[in-house]
Amino acid sequence: MRTTEDGDVEVLHTYEDGDPEESLYCCCWMVDSTRPGNAPLLLVAGGLGVIKEIDTEKGRLGHYFLGHGNAINTIRAHPTIRHLFATASKDESVRLWNLKTRTAVLIMGGSGGHCNEVLCLDFHPQGKWLVTCGMDRSAKIWNLEPHCEHITSSNSWSK
């Protein structure tokens, strides 16, 4: 962060999506652990349901994550596994993603899931659970522990 002589906070960089149909609703900091110094990455998503990875050091768009069938309302980084993140969508699902292999690891939805737009999510500080809330007036706690082996194996999946 930089401040001006007047004490104002200065904008360091602006990313404008090239698609005039896109409205960005959410963003999340991540790091690229495959590069020296854990290069900072920014994930953004919105109305089109596409997660876009922005390499902030190089100032360019990287990978696109596709899978949701509607708008993405929230992105959160996993608190203990630095290459995992989750998204909550208008398509009534929540997805856990692997940044390293650029794959969807888990899809939480369907029977027992939300029956309307998922607005927000957050991880427990130890990363064992995920909580979601939505327009169906419910909050759901998802247990990730039974899926640890599946989550670990996602580190070797093909891109």
Side-chain angles (χ1 to χ4, degrees), residues 1-4 7-12:
M1 177 176 77
R2 287 190 236 165
T3 55
T4 65
D8 295 332
V9 177
E10 180 182 6
V11 174
L12 296 177

Side-chain angles (χ1 to χ4, degrees), residues 70-111:
N70 212 322
I72 296 171
N73 295 316
T74 306
I75 305 174
R76 288 283 187 276
H78 192 283
T80 61
I81 306 172
R82 297 172 59 175
H83 58 274
L84 294 180
F85 66 95
T87 52
S89 174
K90 187 175 183 175
D91 69 7
E92 303 177 6
S93 76
V94 176
R95 293 173 190 246
L96 182 67
W97 304 85
N98 188 317
L99 184 65
K100 221 187 266 188
T101 58
R102 293 178 160 76
T103 56
V105 179
L106 295 174
I107 300 171
M108 293 157 270
S111 179

Side-chain angles (χ1 to χ4, degrees), residues 134-156:
M135 291 186 69
D136 59 0
R137 301 179 325 275
S138 70
K140 298 185 181 289
I141 299 173
W142 306 83
N143 187 1
L144 299 178
E145 288 190 300
H147 307 285
C148 285
E149 189 175 311
H150 184 73
I151 292 168
T152 301
S153 72
S154 76
N155 293 326
S156 61

